Amino acid sequence: MRNSPPALLFFSGNSNMNLALKVSKYLGVPIAGMTFERFQDGEIHLKSEVSVRGQEIYIMQSTNPPSDNLFELLIMIDALKRASAEKITVIIPYFGYARQDRKTQGREPITARLIANLIETAGANRVISIDLHAGQIQGFFDIPSDNLTAVLLFAQAFKQIPAEDLVIVSPDVGGVNRAKNLSNLLPGSHLAICSKSRMSKDKVDDIKLIGEVKDKIAIIIDDIISTASTLQLASHEIKNQGSKEIYACATHGMLVGSAIDKLNHSAIDKVLVTDSIQIDPLKLAACPKIKIVTVAPLIGEVINRIHNNASVSEVFEEADVNGVSLFVFDNEVNN
Ligand code: R5P
């Protein structure tokens, strides 16, 4: 660690002000002032209220829809770069457009790469994300990029349950590593995998379960809950196969369309999501199954470490699923 770095400047876009306030509290620094305005046609205008010349800047913004969230981030980076910021680290708790990370057929885009290029071109020097849809998206950046994970937070929530009663279920083949990571943090737990078929982007048609769930407590782990079709179908299949209790956890609670209805009518008893995306309180009120776990201390700690030139990966090595860890700060599941 270097001696007494200059005070850090923490900016936030408008996509998730609740999380920004929590991160600011963890850091013990206020959110740096920025004026946001709109031209009459809707274009964004913004301006830092403080000088950033020669400073290390941290900007947080989730890039979930609407696309204005992404634009706001790009424009913030541009404004601060042009104001002579020394180094800009961008924290993207939810990295949108990540599901199109490869061409599955001709004439399709690779939006994850496009967004990475835009962020880099705007002037970011480093990127921090959480549970990217696919870990290899990190490689779409030519600047340092760290992909944090909320799996430890979820493991903490289930540590009271005897692990041999638990089966961790990946809802699709692409999520097997995530399920394995959670299972490794709950030693003795079992593993099962779903095979999922989709007819269209937002409709899951069939789910087949590979593995034993009978008389076990199932925990389905996914990166995103979008329409909740995946969770609804997977949970019914798991219930049909004899599981006695079903939980779901997903880092990013997008919850679009009839997701709330689907969760309410699913066989899931409780759903954990993080606050990487700001969820409409009306949706939360309509689905008491959903509990929020905050990623604020994780982000705050990582910012502190980057600012002090310390290791980011050690955050995960030092965190202890059973003991007191930095993740416990302000991280009560909101029962
Ligand atoms: C897909 O590959 C993702 O990991 C999620 O399983 C998916 O985005 C969930 O979508 P939905 O909630 O619409 O089923």
Side-chain angles (χ1 to χ4, degrees):
M1 286 200 193
R2 65 190 177 199
N3 289 331
S4 324
L8 64 83
L9 276 176
F10 175 61
F11 288 89
S12 174
N14 288 297
S15 67
N16 196 339
M17 230 358 126
N18 290 349
L19 178 59
L21 288 167
K22 288 186 201 161
V23 173
S24 145
K25 184 177 165 199
Y26 184 92
L27 292 169
V29 298
I31 301 171
M34 185 157 266
T35 315
F36 294 91
E37 285 172 328
R38 294 257 177 193
F39 291 99
Q40 275 206 6
D41 58 6
E43 286 182 1
I44 297 164
H45 175 268
L46 52 82
K47 182 178 186 296
S48 171
E49 288 167 6
V50 293
S51 168
V52 296
R53 180 172 303 281
Q55 303 260 48
E56 282 194 20
I57 307 297
Y58 297 81
I59 305 175
M60 194 175 83
Q61 174 82 318
S62 279
T63 55
N64 50 296
S67 306
D68 271 6
N69 288 331
L70 171 64
F71 263 91
E72 197 177 83
L73 172 62
L74 297 172
I75 296 168
M76 285 174 85
I77 299 170
D78 185 73
L80 297 177
K81 194 82 195 169
R82 289 177 194 280
S84 303
E86 173 74 18
K87 180 181 167 203
I88 300 177
T89 298
V90 175
I91 300 110
I92 310 177
Y94 173 72
F95 185 92
Y97 277 100
R99 282 175 292 179
Q100 298 173 71
D101 57 358
R102 66 193 186 286
K103 286 175 76 163
T104 54
Q105 45 188 312
R107 303 184 297 282
E108 282 187 339
I110 302 180
T111 54
R113 172 74 201 219
L114 170 67
I115 305 300
N117 286 350
L118 288 171
I119 290 167
E120 228 176 290
T121 304
N125 302 102
R126 181 169 185 161
V127 173
I128 311 293
S129 54
I130 304 180
D131 287 322
L132 286 167
H133 177 61
Q136 56 269 29
I137 293 171
Q138 275 181 97
F140 291 178
F141 289 97
D142 285 327
I143 51 178
S145 93
D146 299 273
N147 185 31
L148 313 179
T149 181
V151 169
L152 237 149
L153 308 182
F154 296 138
Q156 278 185 339
F158 296 109
K159 69 183 182 201
Q160 311 295 0
I161 304 175
E164 56 279 10
D165 290 346
L166 291 174
V167 55
I168 316 300
V169 185
S170 171
D172 51 37
V173 176
V176 172
N177 276 344
R178 194 172 295 115
K180 263 165 59 184
N181 290 343
L182 180 58
S183 181
N184 289 342
L185 289 165
L186 299 165
S189 60
H190 307 264
L191 208 55
I193 300 165
C194 291
S195 158
K196 175 164 95 178
S197 342
R198 278 187 187 277
M199 286 291 277
S200 66
K201 302 246 167 301
D202 284 325
K203 193 164 180 303
V204 180
D205 294 279
D206 188 35
I207 283 209
K208 295 211 169 22
L209 183 67
I210 305 159
E212 187 55 64
V213 298
K214 191 164 167 41
D215 297 329
K216 295 209 160 40
I217 298 169
I219 305 172
I220 313 171
I221 181 159
D222 209 346
D223 56 334
I224 306 168
I225 307 176
S226 182
T227 65
S229 311
T230 303
L231 286 185
Q232 189 186 31
L233 278 182
S235 68
H236 286 308
E237 181 60 18
I238 293 166
K239 195 80 189 172
N240 288 341
Q241 305 270 339
S243 167
K244 57 182 182 188
E245 224 171 306
I246 305 175
Y247 295 94
C249 38
T251 309
H252 310 296
M254 185 80 75
L255 303 173
V256 300
S258 52
I260 294 297
D261 205 40
K262 287 200 172 91
L263 289 177
N264 281 333
H265 290 97
S266 72
I268 298 167
D269 296 285
K270 197 184 266 192
V271 182
L272 299 186
V273 291
T274 79
D275 50 1
S276 66
I277 295 174
Q278 195 162 298
I279 302 176
D280 179 350
L282 292 175
K283 289 187 181 174
L284 289 178
C287 186
K289 289 181 182 185
I290 301 177
K291 310 291 171 197
I292 308 284
V293 182
T294 184
V295 286
L298 173 60
I299 293 173
E301 183 61 22
V302 165
I303 290 177
N304 264 337
R305 280 170 183 256
I306 293 174
H307 196 61
N308 287 292
N309 223 9
S311 160
V312 168
S313 55
E314 275 172 14
V315 174
F316 294 94
E317 285 154 25
E318 287 168 13
D320 173 4
V321 71
N322 292 309
V324 177
S325 81
L326 56 99
F327 299 114
V328 174
F329 170 88
D330 194 23
N331 202 27
E332 300 300 313
V333 175
N334 62 336
N335 289 305

